[in-house]
């Protein structure tokens, strides 16, 4: 066999093996890079997915807090959700369930009799909540318009939770039930007992005052707050001195009597001896 040929063949095979090894090494390196790149891309995708998820949760939480805050503040000014959409079938409606049945019947009869005698119709509703961002009188006016009330109608809407009421009268009823009296009924008459959670008495007070005014009688006014006097019950200095003198006189008289009476008795017994 030709030695040269063998050497050439061996060299070719060596070069071929080196190239294959280089190709294999390069493939392995490329594979590692691809795996690393895929791993990095997967990590970024996971981070992005989690970030989007957290942002979505934060958005939902913020929206929930905004809704809760709106509900806590009483909602829209124009919302009339706590009273019936139309005029109730009764003169007095205790939607909050805070007035005793007997008292509710008394108010109902009084307002019914008022309409029979004068033509003025009072719609008195007690609900649990009133819009916190709206004046009660403005709210009563909204209810008045919502119910399409007339010139002889009066709407009274009271809230048991805030112990306040709004009063609004039609044009004819307002000639007797003035704006000042209506405001006083809402801010003074109803709250006077409602603050103590005596809602039955508060309803009676409102009914009695409204009936009196719309019947042409003198306004009885808001309930008077009776304050106890801060003056003490201690006696004055002069009164104390007089008391001392009186008691001193009594004590001296008793002492004199305790000595004189025994001596007189003794003298009485021995004088005959």
């Amino acid at each position: 066999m030709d030695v040269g040929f063998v050497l050439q063949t061996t060299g070719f095979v060596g070069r071929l093996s080196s190239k294959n090894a280089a190709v294999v090494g390069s493939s392995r390196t490329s594979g590692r890079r691809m795996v690393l790149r895929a791993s990095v891309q997967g990590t970024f995708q996971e981070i992005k997915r989690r970030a989007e998820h957290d942002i979505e949760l934060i958005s939902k939480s913020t929206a929930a807090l905004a809704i809760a805050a709106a509900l806590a503040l009483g909602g829209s000014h124009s919302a009339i959700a706590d009273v019936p959409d139309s005029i109730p079938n009764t003169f007095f409606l205790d939607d909050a369930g805070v007035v005793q049945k007997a008292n509710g019947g008394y108010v109902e009869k009084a307002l019914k009799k008022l309409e029979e005698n004068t033509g003025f119709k009072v719609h008195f509703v007690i609900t649990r909540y009133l819009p916190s961002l709206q004046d009660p009188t403005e709210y009563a006016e909204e209810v008045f318009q919502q119910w399409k009330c007339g010139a002889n109608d009066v709407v009274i809407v009271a809230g048991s939770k805030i112990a306040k009421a709004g009063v609004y009268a039609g044009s004819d009823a307002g000639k007797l039930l003035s704006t000042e009296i209506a405001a006083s009924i809402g801010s003074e008459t109803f709250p006077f007992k409602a603050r103590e959670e005596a809602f039955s008495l508060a309803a009676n007070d409102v009914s009695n005052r409204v009936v009196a005014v719309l019947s042409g009688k003198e306004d009885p006014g808001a309930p008077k707050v009776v304050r106890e006097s801060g003056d003490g019950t201690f006696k004055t200095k002069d009164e104390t001195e007089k008391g001392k003198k009186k008691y001193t006189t009594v004590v001296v008289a008793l002492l004199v009597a305790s000595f004189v009476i025994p001596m007189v008795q003794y003298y009485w017994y021995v004088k005959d001896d």
Side-chain angles (χ1 to χ4, degrees), residues 90-94 98-112 124 126 199-201 203-204 207:
T90 59
F91 294 90
F92 176 68
L93 176 63
D94 177 22
V98 294
V99 176
Q100 296 179 1
K101 188 175 181 179
N103 293 88
Y106 168 82
V107 174
E108 175 74 17
K109 290 179 181 178
L111 298 181
K112 182 179 180 180
F124 187 1
I126 296 182
F199 298 106
S200 297
L201 296 177
N204 289 347
S207 174

Coordinates of all heavy atoms in Angstrom, one line a residue, residues 90-94 98-112 124 126 199-201 203-204 207:
T90 N -101.8 57.0 51.3 CA -102.1 57.4 52.6 C -101.5 58.8 52.8 O -100.6 59.3 52.1 CB -101.5 56.5 53.7 OG1 -100.0 56.4 53.5 CG2 -102.0 55.1 53.5
F91 N -102.0 59.5 53.8 CA -101.5 60.9 54.1 C -100.1 60.8 54.8 O -99.3 61.6 54.7 CB -102.5 61.6 55.0 CG -103.7 62.0 54.3 CD1 -104.8 61.1 54.3 CD2 -103.9 63.2 53.6 CE1 -106.0 61.4 53.7 CE2 -105.1 63.5 52.9 CZ -106.1 62.6 53.0
F92 N -100.0 59.7 55.6 CA -98.8 59.5 56.4 C -98.2 58.2 56.1 O -98.9 57.1 56.2 CB -99.0 59.6 57.9 CG -97.8 59.3 58.8 CD1 -96.8 60.2 58.8 CD2 -97.8 58.2 59.5 CE1 -95.6 59.9 59.6 CE2 -96.7 57.9 60.3 CZ -95.6 58.8 60.4
L93 N -96.9 58.1 55.7 CA -96.2 56.9 55.4 C -94.9 56.8 56.2 O -94.0 57.6 56.0 CB -95.8 56.9 53.9 CG -95.0 55.7 53.4 CD1 -95.8 54.4 53.6 CD2 -94.6 55.8 51.9
D94 N -94.9 55.8 57.1 CA -93.7 55.5 57.9 C -92.8 54.5 57.1 O -92.9 53.3 57.5 CB -94.1 55.1 59.3 CG -92.8 54.7 60.1 OD1 -91.7 55.2 59.8 OD2 -93.0 54.0 61.1
V98 N -90.3 53.5 62.1 CA -89.9 54.0 63.4 C -91.0 54.6 64.3 O -90.7 55.0 65.4 CB -88.8 55.1 63.2 CG1 -87.5 54.5 62.6 CG2 -89.2 56.2 62.3
V99 N -92.2 54.7 63.7 CA -93.3 55.3 64.4 C -94.2 54.2 64.9 O -94.6 53.3 64.1 CB -94.1 56.3 63.5 CG1 -95.3 56.9 64.2 CG2 -93.1 57.5 63.1
Q100 N -94.7 54.3 66.1 CA -95.6 53.3 66.6 C -97.0 53.4 65.9 O -97.4 54.5 65.4 CB -95.9 53.6 68.1 CG -94.7 53.4 69.0 CD -94.9 53.6 70.5 OE1 -96.1 54.0 70.9 NE2 -93.9 53.5 71.3
K101 N -97.6 52.3 65.8 CA -98.8 52.2 64.9 C -99.9 53.1 65.4 O -100.6 53.8 64.6 CB -99.3 50.7 65.0 CG -100.5 50.5 64.0 CD -100.9 49.0 64.0 CE -102.0 48.7 63.0 NZ -102.4 47.3 63.0
A102 N -100.1 53.2 66.7 CA -101.1 54.1 67.3 C -100.8 55.6 66.9 O -101.7 56.3 66.5 CB -101.2 54.0 68.8
N103 N -99.6 56.0 67.0 CA -99.2 57.4 66.6 C -99.4 57.6 65.1 O -99.8 58.7 64.7 CB -97.8 57.7 67.1 CG -97.6 57.7 68.6 OD1 -97.4 56.7 69.2 ND2 -97.8 58.8 69.2
G104 N -99.0 56.6 64.3 CA -99.2 56.8 62.9 C -100.6 56.9 62.5 O -101.0 57.7 61.7
G105 N -101.5 56.2 63.2 CA -103.0 56.3 63.0 C -103.5 57.7 63.4 O -104.3 58.3 62.7
Y106 N -102.9 58.2 64.5 CA -103.3 59.6 64.9 C -103.0 60.6 63.8 O -103.8 61.5 63.5 CB -102.7 59.9 66.2 CG -102.8 61.4 66.6 CD1 -103.9 61.8 67.3 CD2 -101.7 62.2 66.4 CE1 -104.0 63.2 67.6 CE2 -101.8 63.6 66.7 CZ -102.9 64.0 67.4 OH -103.0 65.4 67.7
V107 N -101.7 60.5 63.3 CA -101.3 61.5 62.3 C -102.1 61.4 61.0 O -102.5 62.4 60.4 CB -99.8 61.3 62.0 CG1 -99.3 62.2 60.9 CG2 -98.9 61.6 63.3
E108 N -102.4 60.1 60.6 CA -103.2 59.9 59.4 C -104.5 60.5 59.5 O -105.0 61.2 58.6 CB -103.3 58.4 59.2 CG -104.2 58.0 58.1 CD -103.5 58.2 56.7 OE1 -102.3 58.4 56.6 OE2 -104.3 58.2 55.7
K109 N -105.2 60.3 60.7 CA -106.6 60.9 60.9 C -106.5 62.4 60.9 O -107.4 63.1 60.3 CB -107.2 60.4 62.2 CG -107.5 58.9 62.1 CD -108.1 58.4 63.4 CE -108.4 56.9 63.4 NZ -109.0 56.4 64.7
A110 N -105.5 63.0 61.6 CA -105.4 64.4 61.7 C -105.2 65.1 60.3 O -105.9 66.1 60.0 CB -104.2 64.8 62.6
L111 N -104.4 64.5 59.4 CA -104.1 65.0 58.1 C -105.3 64.8 57.2 O -105.6 65.7 56.3 CB -102.9 64.4 57.5 CG -101.6 64.7 58.3 CD1 -100.4 64.0 57.6 CD2 -101.3 66.2 58.5
K112 N -106.0 63.7 57.4 CA -107.2 63.5 56.6 C -108.3 64.5 56.9 O -109.0 65.0 56.0 CB -107.7 62.0 56.8 CG -108.9 61.7 56.0 CD -109.4 60.3 56.2 CE -110.6 59.9 55.4 NZ -111.1 58.5 55.7
F124 N -97.0 63.3 54.2 CA -95.9 63.2 55.2 C -95.2 61.8 55.1 O -95.9 60.8 55.3 CB -96.5 63.4 56.6 CG -95.6 63.5 57.7 CD1 -94.2 63.5 57.5 CD2 -96.0 63.7 59.0 CE1 -93.3 63.6 58.6 CE2 -95.1 63.9 60.1 CZ -93.8 63.8 59.8
I126 N -91.8 59.5 56.3 CA -90.6 59.3 57.1 C -89.8 58.2 56.5 O -90.3 57.1 56.4 CB -90.9 59.0 58.6 CG1 -91.6 60.2 59.2 CG2 -89.6 58.8 59.3 CD1 -91.9 60.0 60.7
F199 N -89.4 59.1 67.6 CA -90.0 59.5 66.3 C -91.5 59.6 66.3 O -92.1 60.4 65.6 CB -89.5 58.5 65.3 CG -88.1 58.4 65.1 CD1 -87.3 57.4 65.5 CD2 -87.4 59.5 64.4 CE1 -85.9 57.3 65.4 CE2 -86.0 59.4 64.2 CZ -85.3 58.4 64.7
S200 N -92.2 58.8 67.2 CA -93.6 59.0 67.3 C -94.0 60.3 67.8 O -94.9 61.0 67.2 CB -94.2 57.9 68.3 OG -93.9 56.6 67.8
L201 N -93.3 60.8 68.8 CA -93.6 62.2 69.3 C -93.2 63.2 68.3 O -93.9 64.2 68.1 CB -92.8 62.4 70.6 CG -93.2 61.5 71.8 CD1 -92.4 61.8 73.0 CD2 -94.7 61.7 72.1
A203 N -93.3 62.9 65.0 CA -94.3 62.9 64.0 C -95.6 63.7 64.5 O -96.2 64.4 63.7 CB -94.7 61.5 63.6
N204 N -95.9 63.4 65.7 CA -97.1 64.1 66.3 C -96.9 65.6 66.3 O -97.8 66.4 66.0 CB -97.4 63.6 67.7 CG -97.9 62.2 67.7 OD1 -98.3 61.7 66.7 ND2 -98.0 61.6 68.9
S207 N -97.2 67.1 62.8 CA -98.6 67.0 62.4 C -99.4 68.1 63.1 O -100.2 68.9 62.5 CB -99.2 65.7 62.7 OG -100.6 65.7 62.5

